[in-house]
Amino acid sequence: MSVTKQEALTFRGMELMPLSLEQYRRMFQEGVLTVNDPVELLEGYLVGKDRGVGQARPQPCVIPPDAPRYLGMLEIWPLTLAQYQQMIRTAIIGEDDPVEMMAGYLIAKDRGRGPGMGAGPQHSLSVSRLLRRIIQAVPPPWVHRCQDPIEIGPQNIAGAASQPEPDFAIAQGPDDQYAQRYPGPADLWLVIEVADSSLLADRRGKAQSYATAGIRLYWIVNLVDRQLEIFTDPDTQAGQYRSQQILPEDQQVTLTLPDLPTVTFLVRDFLP
């Protein structure tokens, strides 16, 4: 995505990614939006038009109380999961665009150098160590996904779904069941984010979305404080995890999966 950045809008600690005028036009050309949608583009952000009876919203939709607002007044127009996936299929969003969708909003990925930036070396090294150690310890039919999409929520309700790309995830196998879809909450046993510049977003925005979806186990590999943060027992109504644990780098973490012996990792082995 190539646009002139205005002052960034944020949502739950995550930075919204603005659209270019060309992307906005193509959303109509490809049927992501229709001429009947009362929406317009203001400095890269989709907002509902106000024709005297209040700001328009997509229907059906879920608008959270902390929805991001343009100029502090206009709610940003959320997308459905189907719309977001159509934007990817039609290359409105390209494979190299640093964007993912959270709760219907386009969010700038953060791989260690700030939102929308490329991967930092420490972040990349930590992901590599996670990948190597967990793959060695957790054999097939368990499925390992590294910075690949997962699906959270319904297809056709605006603002109700997410398609994040966590740094690592373990899903129930076999892997051929994901040939036509991405893993969802029922498939996922562990989701991991590596956090340095993204720490606030991972603790707040990602944790809230994962808890709401019922992701049973969420880890943050915290590079800032050199610790592992473990979130369990999701409260889907409150959008938070009931249990949180912090393990410093000199401690061990255990992982238990069905039909697999418990495996133990040293926290520092995940750190750069």
Side-chain angles (χ1 to χ4, degrees), residues 166-214:
D167 288 308
F168 196 84
I170 298 176
Q172 183 78 46
D175 59 1
D176 57 7
Q177 67 182 301
Y178 307 119
Q180 302 298 324
R181 66 177 181 91
Y182 298 122
D187 307 303
L188 295 160
W189 287 82
L190 171 63
V191 170
I192 305 175
E193 298 285 2
V194 175
D196 35 11
S197 57
S198 67
L199 184 57
L200 174 61
D202 293 335
R203 280 177 171 169
R204 185 182 175 197
K206 294 287 182 73
Q208 184 169 341
S209 291
Y210 293 154
T212 300

Side-chain angles (χ1 to χ4, degrees), residues 29-169:
Q29 293 171 357
E30 300 293 347
V32 177
L33 296 171
T34 73
V35 293
N36 295 321
D37 287 320
V39 64
E40 56 191 342
L41 189 73
L42 296 181
E43 296 190 15
Y45 300 106
L46 295 176
V47 298
K49 296 178 181 178
D50 188 336
R51 293 168 174 165
V53 292
Q55 188 184 357
R57 295 175 171 180
Q59 295 298 328
C61 72
V62 174
I63 302 291
D66 56 350
R69 295 173 180 268
Y70 174 76
L71 296 179
M73 297 178 293
L74 299 175
E75 293 171 350
I76 303 300
W77 181 279
L79 300 173
T80 67
L81 184 57
Q83 286 174 312
Y84 178 68
Q85 292 177 344
Q86 187 176 358
M87 291 175 74
I88 294 173
R89 285 195 304 272
T90 57
I92 297 172
I93 295 174
E95 290 185 2
D96 296 329
D97 286 331
V99 62
E100 55 192 343
M101 190 179 77
M102 300 298 299
Y105 300 110
L106 301 180
I107 301 296
K109 292 180 190 175
D110 189 336
R111 301 296 195 204
R113 286 179 167 164
M117 304 293 287
Q122 290 198 340
H123 187 282
S124 294
L125 179 57
S126 181
V127 171
S128 176
R129 288 181 171 176
L130 275 169
L131 184 66
R132 182 170 65 254
R133 283 165 172 77
I134 293 180
I135 285 179
Q136 289 174 347
V138 181
W142 292 98
V143 177
H144 308 99
R145 299 181 66 86
C146 184
Q147 299 179 342
D148 290 325
I150 62 176
E151 290 183 4
I152 297 173
Q155 281 278 323
N156 295 303
I157 300 177
S162 302
Q163 187 171 300
E165 299 179 13
D167 288 308
F168 196 84

